[in-house]
């Protein structure tokens, strides 16, 4: 996880030696991994997708104040938020696996 944590810090402009936010950043890395595993319907994610997981962790961290919002309006300005995993992240992930149940 340390490579992912270091990349996340670089993308967020945080010095690698600054450990003051490590717990929070690790939380978002774990949340990103969990959401991606659920989306792809797999138990593990190949290491080749670690960068995509970090990209999603950046998205989650930067939008942590907007969790649950779909549309936000302040005066004349409004913003629409994507729900779930953003399309740009989904396109970089393997297609979700479909599990067929046996009866």
């Amino acid at each position: 996880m340390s490579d992912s944590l270091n990349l996340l810090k670089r993308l967020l402009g945080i010095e690698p030696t600054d450990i003051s936010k490590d717990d929070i950043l690790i939380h978002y890395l774990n949340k990103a991994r969990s959401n991606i595993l659920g989306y792809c319907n797999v138990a593990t994610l190949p290491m080749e997708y670690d960068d995509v997981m970090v990209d999603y962790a950046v998205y989650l961290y930067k939008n942590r104040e907007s969790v649950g919002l779909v549309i936000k309006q302040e005066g004349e300005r409004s913003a629409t938020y994507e729900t779930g995993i953003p399309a740009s992240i989904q396109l970089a992930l393997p297609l979700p696996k479909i599990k067929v149940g046996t009866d």
Side-chain angles (χ1 to χ4, degrees):
M1 172 106 34
S2 64
D3 289 342
S4 297
L5 180 59
N6 287 331
L7 177 57
L8 180 58
K9 285 181 173 183
R10 286 196 313 264
L11 291 172
L12 293 172
I14 299 171
E15 289 294 323
T17 55
D18 180 355
I19 61 168
S20 65
K21 294 182 180 174
D22 281 9
D23 289 347
I24 294 167
L25 297 175
I26 290 169
H27 165 78
Y28 283 103
L29 283 169
N30 289 335
K31 187 173 186 172
R33 179 181 304 279
S34 176
N35 288 355
I36 288 171
L37 291 174
Y39 169 77
C40 293
N41 200 17
V42 294
T44 59
L45 193 65
M47 285 179 49
E48 65 195 70
Y49 294 103
D50 281 357
D51 289 350
V52 179
M53 180 193 66
V54 172
D55 286 342
Y56 186 39
V58 167
Y59 174 85
L60 291 172
Y61 181 81
K62 286 186 172 182
N63 292 288
R64 65 190 180 279
E65 303 295 326
S66 306
V67 172
L69 291 179
V70 176
I71 298 174
K72 179 179 180 181
Q73 186 164 351
E74 293 178 3
E76 296 289 321
R77 301 181 73 176
S78 68
T80 303
Y81 298 92
E82 287 186 82
T83 56
I85 298 175
S88 61
I89 301 292
Q90 288 180 11
L91 290 172
L93 292 171
L95 291 174
K97 296 207 184 264
I98 298 172
K99 293 190 178 180
V100 179
T102 56
D103 292 342

